[in-house]
Amino acid sequence: TELINYICNASNVIVMAHKFPDYDAFGASVGIARLVMHCGVKLNVVTNLKDKNVERCLKFFKDDEDYKGVFVDSAQGLDLVRSETLLIIVDVNNINMFESSDIANNVDKIVIVDHHRKTAEFEREPLISYIEPSSSSASELVSEMLESAVSSQNLLKEEADMLLSGIFLDTKQFTR
C-alpha cells in the first residue's frame, strides 16, 4: 500500500497521537508501531511518559525486546527528526491537540490516520490523510491496515489487547 511505501522509504518513523492519550490513541500508536517494525524501519512513539494512563499502558510493553527504547517524550522525539523522517499521527487531526506540535512543524512528511471529523486546515498537506469519521475508532482503522499487511502471528498479544481496548473505548463497548 501507499503507507507502506512511505514507511519503507523513510529514514525513521515517529508515531504520535493527541495530548492526554486514551486507549484508542495508545492502541492505534502501537498498531502503527507494529506496521513500521514489520517494514524494518527505525521507529519511536512520542507520548507523555508521565501521564498515568500512559504509564499503565507502557507496563504491558516494558519487558518486550521489540519496544526497548521505542517510547520517548516530546523533547526526545524532536531530537529524532531528520530530513527523511516520516511522522504518522493517529487519533487526531488538529495540530493544536497533537502530543507535540513542534515535531509536526519540523517534519516534512506527515500521514494522518483518524476517525474524527477534520477540525482544522493543514498548514502543509499530509502525504496521506486517512480521516474516516464513519469508523468507530482510530484503533479500528489501524487494525484494518494491519489485517492486510501483517500476519496475525506477528502481532503481539499486548498490541492486540491495546487495539481492542481502543475499539471498546470509542464504541462505548459496542452499545451504539
Side-chain angles (χ1 to χ4, degrees), residues 26-93:
F26 196 86
S29 294
V30 297
I32 291 291
R34 175 52 57 196
L35 185 62
V36 175
M37 288 176 199
H38 177 72
C39 295
V41 176
K42 176 142 178 44
L43 150 85
N44 290 95
V45 175
V46 172
T47 191
N48 180 351
L49 301 173
K50 293 181 172 119
D51 183 295
K52 294 294 180 205
N53 289 330
V54 173
E55 284 179 1
R56 273 186 242 134
C57 295
L58 291 174
K59 285 180 185 174
F60 288 96
F61 298 93
K62 68 178 171 56
D63 294 327
D64 191 280
E65 201 57 41
D66 287 349
Y67 281 92
K68 295 281 188 231
V70 166
F71 298 103
V72 298
D73 64 21
S74 295
Q76 293 167 307
L78 192 55
D79 288 342
L80 298 168
V81 173
R82 307 284 178 263
S83 62
E84 293 302 312
T85 297
L86 174 65
L87 174 62
I88 303 177
I89 300 165
V90 296
D91 199 32
V92 62
N93 63 65

Side-chain angles (χ1 to χ4, degrees), residues 8 16 28 36 66 86 91 118 151 176:
C8 290
M16 82 172 146
V36 175
D66 287 349
L86 174 65
D91 199 32
K118 188 175 172 185
S151 164
R176 285 189 286 178

Side-chain angles (χ1 to χ4, degrees), residues 114-116 132-141 144 171 176:
D114 191 16
H115 69 111
H116 300 101
E132 186 54 60
S134 65
S135 185
S136 71
S137 63
S139 290
E140 178 186 356
L141 294 172
E144 290 171 359
T171 56
R176 285 189 286 178

Side-chain angles (χ1 to χ4, degrees), residues 107-132:
V107 172
D108 292 328
K109 297 175 179 126
I110 298 175
V111 169
I112 295 179
V113 179
D114 191 16
H115 69 111
H116 300 101
R117 282 187 171 76
K118 188 175 172 185
T119 59
E121 290 304 312
F122 305 121
E123 272 186 40
R124 292 184 322 269
E125 199 58 36
L127 298 171
I128 301 171
S129 178
Y130 186 35
I131 299 174
E132 186 54 60

